[in-house]
Amino acid sequence: MRGDLTLTGAVRRIEGPLLYVKRSASVGLNEAVQIIDSEQRQRVGRIAALDEDKMIIEVLESTTGLGLGDTLIRLRAEPLVFPVGPGLLGRVFDSVGRPVDGGPPVPAERRMRIDGLAINPTARALPRDFIETSVSTIDLMNSLVRGQKLPLFSCGGLPHDRMATEIAQRARLRGGEAGEFAIVFVGIGVPHDTAEAFRTAMESSGALEHTVMFLNRADEPSTQRLLTPRFALTAAEYLAFTEGRHVLVILTDMTNYCEALREVSASHGEIPSRKGYPGYMYSDLATLYERAGCIKGLAGTVTQLPILTMPGDDIGHPIPDLTGYITEGQIVLARDLDRKGVYPPVAVLPSLSRLMDNGTGEGYTHKDHPNLAHQLFAAYARATRVRVLASVMGMEGLSDTDKRYLKFGDVFEDELVKQAGPRTLEESMEIGWRLLRVLPEAELSRLSDAQIERYIRQEAELA
Amino acid sequence: MSKAAIHWVGGPVLRADVKGPFHVHEAVSVGVNELLGEVIQLDGEQLVAQVYEDTTGLKPGDPVTGSGLPLSVPLGPGLLGRILDGLLRPLAEESVHFYAPGTVGQRGGRFHFVPLADTGETLAPGAFFGRIVREGPTMRCMVPPNVSGTVESIVDEGEYAETDTVCVLIADDGRRHELPMGHMWPVRRPRPVQKRLSPEAPMVTGQRILDTLFPVARGGRAALPGGFGTGKTVLQESLAKWCDADVIVYVGCGERGNEMAEVLDEFPGLDDPRTGRPLMERTVIIANTSNMPVAAREASIYTAITVAEYFRDMGLHVALMADSTSRWAEALREVSGRLGELPGESGYPAYLASRLAEFYERAARVRTLAGEEASVTIIGAVSPPAGDFSEPVTSHTKRYVRSFWALDRARAQARFYPAINPLVSYAEDVDVLARWWQIQGNPDWRIHRQRILTLLEQQEKLERMARIVGKDALPAEQQLTLLCAELLNEGFLYQSSFSPIDRYCSPERQSAMLRLLMHFVDRSAETLAAGAGPEAIGEVPVLRRLRRLGEELPEDDPEEANRLWTAVDRELGEINTGGDQHAR
């Protein structure tokens, strides 16, 4: 490795977050630099483009106070790295991986590139271990498995933070064997109180010692916001693939990340794509989300639960849209359920877990679980169609079957979606079977005859 | 080899000062790590190249070396059963956990070669000089399409490495060609054929809604657009598993790593329903996941179609599954943006439509240079932003495909799979393919198909009306129409790709199911005409089994259809005579 090299008085122009610097040393693209102003304050930057006599440095913090003559540039001769080592757990870091909890620096066992490297597709193991979150609409209807990336699509003002906290506290593997569990909480552009509330909740449940927190506050510069999830995922990869833990990464709020991406892209003068977001937003988000996964032969896993608030409650907005194309499903929260007092307000129909079929059924959860979930989906979809019908022409025009669907839709929301405390998968399934008994047997076309006999007829007799 | 030195670098694009001649689309090696790149512009003393790997660490002054050849990929028998990157380099083996720039797996492998030509024989371009003995599709070694000559020497039968010279040709101009089992071919140049043929038979997919309603011909082109979560990938995977092509080329273009893991996990354990051999033996997977370099994503589509054409030239029927062409278009947009080109619609370059056309036009049923009938069928997934089919990639794709399978969010949300909307989708080769169904013993296919589409169309209209006047206010015939349409949806169009019985449905079983359901539609209409009410018809017990017909009528039990047929007759007949007692 080349030693650090310092350039003085080389800055020619400062424009937004970009420094145009005269190049007098051999540097490579994407390498990290330190920018030191006249008051000896250090900032982090990286080389965004370069030619034979100039280079463009992107300052990843505010450029306030930087001058042309008195700014020092220290070339690090390597890409941005995060020194990680034992003792990460229980710590709190800022946007760029510096401890802010007053503790000592983490002993650097390894220096890992924050951009990470793509997991070799042939080395990926298929995610299969069912994670019980204790939320019926997730466990029963849209199961989460280890190594999956499953975002929460929320709207401003909905209780997504509470859900994330509860999942972080309760998530467990079935069969008791939980393995070494760890949580990486990443606050991206969050208000101070959200971060504090999460920390308190984790502390009170005793989970803080398994948690690493990265906090990028709302008032910090946008360029830094782009780095926070990268530092955090680097820590997650270390915990998972070096220390062998099962890591759940909670990223909130990815909307702030994308807004920062748009802002930085605009300051680079790039050609905007949909709604002003850069054309590479898909690829950029993929470099974060694709860092979830399981690797053959390694004990640990990285599971991601990103949270984003849909601008204008619009699922077609580029942020949820591109996220949905990368992640393995989505859990959608709905405002109308929240208003009805249903907690957690999960809109079941637009929610989806793509990996559900890998981790449910015989040998994973329960052999009747997939059919039950499919039948509940089909019935609830029909119920919502009948609701539209009833809203136009009233109850009188409905057939008897349709009326029973209408009833099913109501009890489904009241008894299955809504829940006061944690539920095991068995409890959720029990409720599912009970609700299906509202419908005529002939309508249950996704269930086998044996399942109808066992769960619908016999149970009805018992009841 | 021409040389150049990097002058400017930003993202995957670089400019270099040239010292010697370069050509557009020439492959170059960049920097000390010899990253692969391609020349995309020449401007006086400078060239512009895109690099197919992570450019971190590149700096001005680093060397760029020309290869003298257009960007080409090594084709050969070793491709089958493998997973390769966007430039056809094998992905590193499992023990390499992360994919660093410059990491390349071992290609290698030895094959049992049997010569098919003799010394002194004259071979035309595309002629076969050898055969590979192995499980799976028949593999033959052919003279590259741009080479011909007289065999000077050919090795005896035996085991050889893929790169060993097995045959030496002397061309008419005296040039000596040493041929290994495979050869290199430039990805952006379509491989020549003797003649393009018109479509004749369908590519059987084993999916009822496709084969029966919206078939794609062998050598045809289909587009599969749908917003996220509508089941594009699951359907593409089902097609890759069960369609009746000889070779499947599956290109994961900017998609999820876990999906590749799923294919790798699942395919080796599944058997081809026609040959009984593991599916992996006939499959080539090209993986450029969304977090792998974006420029290689642009190339991966061309790589995939070149591989497909190579197997076609062996006389095989090939299906290419591209998931997703939108990611490829976005890669075009990203590179175009970095070049500072004037953007067209939605920021895509103005040449998007012509690139799409070039790609889809490479699908065809052909007579190969060796004189055999073969085909490449393309099935391209499209991921329109917000599920809006009017966006540029979907609307341009629509101009070049003959089958359009529109995925529908409402159906997907009800977990009704495959979530293809029958009222938006279409297939243009129905007239031609009806003959094929006739030969298969189903002369009614076309009529049945038309009747289903009509029923579904009526259902849409009647439901709109029922929303205003109420279902009970509809005339009895219309209520029955709704019942029958619902039955066709549930009993025929619904097909679970996770059901061991129903994930594949042979044309014979499709015909049997269709006949049975149409029988119910006819008989129930007669019953209604005889005075029975639609409620009574809706309550016959056999209806539950018909709604689950995919599960109830297995592939290997032809008698079951007859039993159900009789049950329909009996139960509907009893309504006529016995009145309400069967309402149960």
Side-chain angles (χ1 to χ4, degrees), chain B residues 238-570:
Chain B
S238 291
L239 294 177
K241 285 174 201 162
W242 313 121
C243 81
D244 70 342
D246 300 312
V247 170
I248 305 291
V249 181
Y250 191 101
V251 50
C253 177
E255 288 291 312
R256 307 175 180 89
N258 277 338
E259 279 166 8
M260 293 294 120
E262 193 170 280
V263 172
L264 286 178
D265 181 79
E266 204 173 6
F267 275 36
L270 290 173
D271 291 340
D272 184 341
R274 296 172 311 133
T275 60
R277 301 291 317 167
L279 281 174
M280 202 61 200
E281 275 180 6
R282 66 164 196 178
T283 310
V284 182
I285 299 169
I286 295 173
N288 180 272
T289 55
S290 54
N291 54 347
M292 285 158 86
V294 68
R297 193 182 306 163
E298 193 268 328
S300 66
I301 285 279
Y302 294 103
T303 304
I305 187 78
T306 305
V307 171
E309 287 178 341
Y310 168 72
F311 287 111
R312 175 202 67 192
D313 290 348
M314 289 185 194
L316 299 169
H317 294 285
V318 186
L320 169 68
M321 319 288 167
D323 186 13
S324 146
T325 56
S326 293
R327 305 296 160 230
W328 167 71
E330 283 166 8
L332 274 184
R333 174 168 73 185
E334 190 173 332
V335 173
S336 161
R338 297 212 188 251
L339 295 177
E341 291 173 344
L342 204 61
E345 211 181 338
S346 297
Y348 288 106
Y351 47 76
L352 171 70
S354 46
R355 291 286 169 84
L356 277 167
E358 277 169 29
F359 167 64
Y360 280 105
E361 276 304 301
R362 287 173 79 168
R365 190 169 82 92
V366 302
R367 182 147 320 281
T368 64
L369 291 178
E372 301 189 347
E373 189 239 328
S375 66
V376 171
T377 311
I378 294 182
I379 294 165
V382 186
S383 318
D388 168 19
F389 290 175
S390 65
E391 59 93 38
V393 182
T394 319
S395 56
H396 288 309
T397 300
K398 231 173 160 172
R399 291 160 52 200
Y400 308 117
V401 297
R402 298 197 51 88
S403 302
F404 188 74
W405 302 332
L407 293 170
D408 186 75
R409 184 157 279 165
R411 284 185 169 237
Q413 288 188 355
R415 302 306 191 258
F416 188 97
Y417 293 122
I420 293 173
N421 184 333
L423 301 179
V424 182
S425 306
Y426 60 78
E428 296 182 37
D429 289 322
V430 169
D431 294 340
V432 183
L433 301 179
R435 275 199 295 278
W436 181 87
W437 281 92
Q438 197 157 11
I439 297 166
Q440 299 297 307
N442 184 358
D444 301 326
W445 175 73
R446 217 178 141 161
I447 302 162
H448 283 165
R449 172 178 186 274
Q450 202 53 55
R451 287 186 64 190
I452 299 181
L453 288 177
T454 314
L455 262 173
L456 295 172
E457 178 75 36
Q458 283 174 337
Q459 180 193 27
E460 163 106 344
K461 287 206 183 105
L462 292 177
E463 279 187 345
R464 215 176 303 146
M465 200 161 4
R467 232 171 278 157
I468 303 165
V469 301
K471 224 181 222 175
D472 288 351
L474 293 178
E477 302 85 66
Q478 295 188 345
Q479 291 188 35
L480 184 67
T481 304
L482 284 179
L483 178 83
C484 291
E486 194 55 41
L487 171 64
L488 282 167
N489 268 316
E490 283 288 327
F492 193 75
L493 301 185
Y494 177 82
Q495 188 174 0
S496 163
S497 52
F498 297 102
S499 155
I501 297 173
D502 205 26
R503 59 194 184 187
Y504 170 75
C505 188
S506 66
E508 297 75 41
R509 187 156 78 102
Q510 297 189 27
S511 299
M513 288 174 69
L514 204 50
R515 265 196 290 269
L516 188 58
L517 292 170
M518 282 302 160
H519 179 62
F520 179 86
V521 173
D522 292 337
R523 288 285 293 123
S524 60
E526 288 167 29
T527 314
L528 191 77
E535 300 80 25
I537 295 175
E539 282 168 5
V540 294
V542 74
L543 210 47
R544 177 177 143 77
R545 301 198 58 201
L546 293 182
R547 283 196 184 116
R548 291 171 46 83
L549 200 55
E551 300 289 329
E552 299 277 336
L553 192 66
E555 206 63 60
D556 48 7
D557 190 3
E559 277 309 300
E560 188 58 27
N562 292 337
R563 283 193 286 275
L564 282 163
W565 186 285
T566 329
V568 169
D569 281 343
R570 191 184 60 241

Side-chain angles (χ1 to χ4, degrees), chain B residues 165-202:
Chain B
T165 300
V166 288
C167 179
V168 179
L169 285 190
I170 304 294
D172 290 346
D173 59 7
R175 278 176 64 182
R176 200 159 175 279
H177 297 279
E178 296 184 351
L179 306 181
M181 290 181 217
H183 56 259
M184 298 288 285
W185 189 260
V187 293
R188 296 181 200 277
R189 191 184 304 162
R191 290 170 65 91
V193 295
Q194 225 176 66
K195 192 171 177 232
R196 285 176 76 112
L197 307 171
S198 46
E200 201 176 77

Side-chain angles (χ1 to χ4, degrees), chain A residues 26-27 29-30 50-51 118 120 122 128 274 282 290 321 325-328 351 354 377 392-393 444-445 447 449, chain B residues 7 9 56-59 83 92 96-97 99 229 254 256-258 265 327 384-386 415 466 470 490 544 548:
Chain A
S26 168
V27 289
L29 195 63
N30 272 346
L50 71 172
D51 65 16
N120 179 0
T122 50
R128 284 205 181 274
R274 218 162 26 124
Y282 176 85
E290 279 291 321
D321 194 49
Y325 274 122
I326 306 166
T327 53
E328 281 130 355
S351 299
R354 285 166 199 273
F377 265 116
V392 180
M393 60 193 200
L444 305 178
S445 62
L447 300 182
D449 290 338
Chain B
H7 170 76
V9 57
T56 297
L58 283 185
K59 49 186 184 291
I83 176 166
V96 180
H97 295 147
Y99 184 85
R256 307 175 180 89
N258 277 338
D265 181 79
R327 305 296 160 230
R415 302 306 191 258
E490 283 288 327
R544 177 177 143 77
R548 291 171 46 83

